Amino acid sequence: MKIFLKTEDEIELMRAANLMVGATLAEIRKAIKPGVTTRQLDKIAEEYIRDNGAVPTFKGFPNPCGGEAFPASICTSVNDEVVHGVPNDTPLREGDIVSVDCGILLNGYNGDSCYTFSVGENSEEVRQLLQTTKEALYRGIETALPGRRIGDIGYMVQQHCEAHGFGVVREFVGHGIGQQMHEDPPVPNYGRRGNGPQIKNGLCIAIEPMITMGSPKVYLTSDRWTVKTQDGKPAAHFEHTIAIHQGRVDILSSFEEIEE
Ligand code: MG
Ligand code: MG
């Protein structure tokens, strides 16, 4: 494992990239309503990112499962799609949820963040799933202090979600981030306290709980990208990129504009 700790200057470059991801997700938020397609959302994202002088890192990303490169600038995962959903022409409907995962490269550094949006009104159960997943993300973030270990983060995320009866996906995890979108260390959403690499000043990671309403079992669909729940129940996904520096946790991405 090779963990690249970042300097203060690098962390500021990463903040700029991640704030642009937040701004892109906020643009998408404005367009989400019943009838809009995820392909339309993708177009908004790609134009916004390129107009601001950045590059959408997901577009053309090689397929680790032997399929085509990723064809779009965002991943849009609807209802029982967990991650890596491919934007398409199916209109969103009232009561759907859609996770929009966005990655950009700006001045050589990566931003990566995801938010699960409601399309119109959702059931109480779905609202609980979204709230619990977001809470779990922040529990994980608060835990990521210098001297703690990566397993402490996963422990907190898992404990919070399972206490609410939700499932924690095991096959996909968070990651180190910097000049590459995916760097060491892997950051699982499950784990044991005291396990894994030690958290140090300069560490930049993306924490991204992928949480299911039912069983955590998932499968890869025939497009070789989209991952769905086996039981067909919905899943939520929230992600922040954070830096640990000066003895504290600094959230580099932002949901502020999204939630305005
Ligand atoms: Mg992401
Ligand atoms: Mg990520």
Side-chain angles (χ1 to χ4, degrees):
M1 192 167 327
K2 178 72 184 128
I3 297 172
F4 298 104
L5 299 176
K6 275 77 182 177
T7 64
E8 290 296 312
D9 286 348
E10 289 181 295
I11 289 169
E12 290 315 310
L13 288 166
M14 293 195 55
R15 190 190 312 281
N18 276 287
L19 289 177
M20 194 183 292
V21 174
T24 306
L25 291 174
E27 284 300 304
I28 292 170
R29 154 89 283 183
K30 291 181 203 159
I32 290 181
K33 56 173 189 282
V36 78
T37 70
T38 48
R39 200 187 301 280
Q40 289 171 314
L41 301 180
D42 177 53
K43 187 164 183 284
I44 291 167
E46 180 165 8
E47 283 178 4
Y48 187 84
I49 293 166
R50 295 199 193 277
D51 284 352
N52 283 282
V55 174
T57 37
F58 294 179
K59 194 151 195 179
F61 200 81
N63 191 315
C65 304
E68 306 259 299
F70 198 77
S73 295
I74 50 173
C75 297
T76 52
S77 306
V78 179
N79 298 336
D80 63 332
E81 297 174 352
V82 183
V83 283
H84 305 160
V86 179
N88 61 34
D89 295 316
T90 306
L92 294 172
R93 294 166 307 177
E94 176 87 22
D96 283 348
I97 53 172
V98 56
S99 303
V100 180
D101 196 349
C102 179
I104 71 155
L105 184 70
L106 178 66
N107 295 322
Y109 286 84
N110 280 277
D112 187 8
S113 179
C114 179
Y115 198 95
T116 302
F117 298 98
S118 303
V119 184
E121 286 291 306
N122 288 116
S123 67
E124 177 56 29
E125 212 182 7
V126 168
R127 283 202 295 270
Q128 273 293 331
L129 174 68
L130 301 192
Q131 189 188 322
T132 302
T133 306
K134 193 161 68 162
E135 285 167 0
L137 169 60
Y138 285 105
R139 297 264 175 125
I141 290 170
E142 288 163 13
T143 306
L145 291 168
R148 298 242 175 91
R149 291 188 178 271
I150 293 293
D152 297 340
I153 299 171
Y155 172 83
M156 289 303 288
V157 172
Q158 178 179 15
Q159 195 268 343
H160 187 68
C161 293
E162 290 183 351
H164 285 79
F166 298 129
V168 177
V169 172
R170 302 296 201 277
E171 288 84 348
F172 300 90
V173 298
H175 49 91
I177 178 166
Q179 290 181 300
Q180 301 296 322
M181 184 166 61
H182 296 135
E183 297 184 356
D184 281 333
V187 183
N189 299 302
Y190 54 91
R192 297 176 62 180
R193 283 176 160 156
N195 276 16
Q198 197 172 48
I199 297 167
K200 294 178 177 161
N201 283 309
L203 181 71
C204 292
I205 52 175
I207 303 179
E208 48 179 317
M210 291 151 257
I211 304 302
T212 60
M213 187 175 281
S215 156
K217 293 213 171 84
V218 299
Y219 70 99
L220 181 66
T221 63
S222 59
D223 66 14
R224 312 300 292 165
W225 279 112
T226 311
V227 173
K228 289 191 178 191
T229 58
Q230 283 189 14
D231 62 10
K233 293 190 176 171
H237 181 198
F238 287 86
E239 175 180 28
H240 269 315
T241 293
I242 67 168
I244 292 88
H245 65 135
Q246 300 174 339
R248 62 186 188 88
V249 190
D250 190 353
I251 305 177
L252 301 180
S253 46
S254 174
F255 296 157
E256 228 167 88
E257 269 188 83
I258 299 168
E259 293 179 344
E260 245 168 33

